[in-house]
Amino acid sequence: HTRLQGDWSSDVCSSDLSELSASEARGTIFDLADDFSWETVAREMVARMSGDEAREFVDDFIRYYAD
């Protein structure tokens, strides 16, 4: 198994994640946040985003949450 890097690397294998559905992956993210904090999970997720993924996230976030 290839382990993901970061504070929670010993708990999550990338090979395990490839088998998850989108809803299961979201649940795993919530579980990680319960164990390690949203700040840690967000920092790890952002560090792995490509430029296009980051721009798409910002666009979606602004569309849904901006006044």
Side-chain angles (χ1 to χ4, degrees), residues 1-50:
H1 294 309
T2 301
R3 297 270 180 198
L4 297 176
Q5 294 178 0
D7 295 340
W8 35 273
S9 62
S10 62
D11 296 333
V12 181
C13 292
S14 60
S15 60
D16 297 339
L17 295 178
S18 66
E19 303 295 321
L20 296 179
S21 69
S23 63
E24 290 169 328
R26 287 184 196 100
T28 298
I29 291 168
F30 280 101
D31 291 343
L32 289 169
D34 285 343
D35 292 341
F36 296 100
S37 86
W38 277 107
E39 183 181 350
T40 299
V41 173
R43 186 173 36 252
E44 292 294 330
M45 290 174 67
V46 169
R48 288 169 172 69
M49 284 182 170
S50 69

